[in-house]
Amino acid sequence: FLSALLSLFRLPLVYYVGLASSSVVFLLTRDRHASGRVRFDQLDIVRRDPPDGDLVLCREVLQHLPNAMVARALPRFARFPAALLTNCVARAPDRAMNADVPLGHCRSALGSGLDLTAPPFSIAAVERLRVAHDRLPFDIVTLELAAAR
């Protein structure tokens, strides 16, 4: 996944800092993938800015946050030269897109999804990658923030 996204920008992987809000995900990922050029930290994207970098990837994180928290997190990505945000988007939502969820839940359980280009977020972004989910009627969509280009 990371290689495919980096190839869109032709950026070499010099140093990678992975961030997770969940302590379980943080520990598992750090133990499996940390190396001399790859580091993992724990961060709450709603309350703190990520460290500086050339590219920020936010993969399937925002879809687990209530809409108010998503709205607070989005401005934190605008300061990066490149920002790619990936979330599940329902192909034919049973409920309105961007249905609000309690913290830690996922919109897919409601038949919804997180489309950041739709209300209440309506961010300016370009779709860079869309892949069908292998088990659910969702697409995994990666957007590039327009402000980050």
Side-chain angles (χ1 to χ4, degrees):
F1 178 79
L2 180 59
S3 297
L5 290 176
L6 288 177
S7 70
L8 292 173
F9 294 92
R10 293 178 177 77
L11 296 173
L13 180 59
V14 176
Y15 192 74
Y16 177 85
V17 178
L19 302 170
S21 58
S22 159
S23 59
V24 172
V25 172
F26 160 67
L27 292 171
L28 285 171
T29 307
R30 183 197 63 190
D31 292 347
R32 288 183 186 160
H33 302 290
S35 69
R37 292 175 29 190
V38 178
R39 184 183 97 222
F40 292 91
D41 292 321
Q42 194 169 356
L43 176 91
D44 179 350
I45 191 65
V46 175
R47 296 172 196 242
R48 290 189 16 228
D49 285 330
D52 291 337
D54 297 316
L55 170 67
V56 63
L57 305 172
C58 182
R59 184 169 183 259
E60 300 180 65
V61 172
L62 300 177
Q63 65 194 30
H64 299 283
L65 301 178
N67 286 347
M69 293 177 84
V70 172
R72 287 198 306 269
L74 286 173
R76 297 189 186 281
F77 302 114
R79 66 186 180 87
F80 288 87
L84 299 173
L85 310 180
T86 302
N87 293 288
C88 287
V89 176
R91 288 187 205 119
D94 297 331
R95 292 182 52 177
M97 188 61 67
N98 299 331
D100 209 0
V101 294
L103 179 62
H105 288 76
C106 191
R107 288 166 177 81
S108 62
L110 301 175
S112 182
L114 184 62
D115 181 354
L116 296 171
T117 63
F121 311 109
S122 302
I123 66 168
V126 176
E127 185 175 310
R128 291 295 182 188
L129 186 65
R130 179 178 289 260
V131 178
H133 195 288
D134 59 349
R135 295 180 315 270
L136 299 171
F138 291 86
D139 289 333
I140 301 168
V141 177
T142 299
L143 301 174
E144 178 186 1
L145 292 185
R149 288 184 286 138

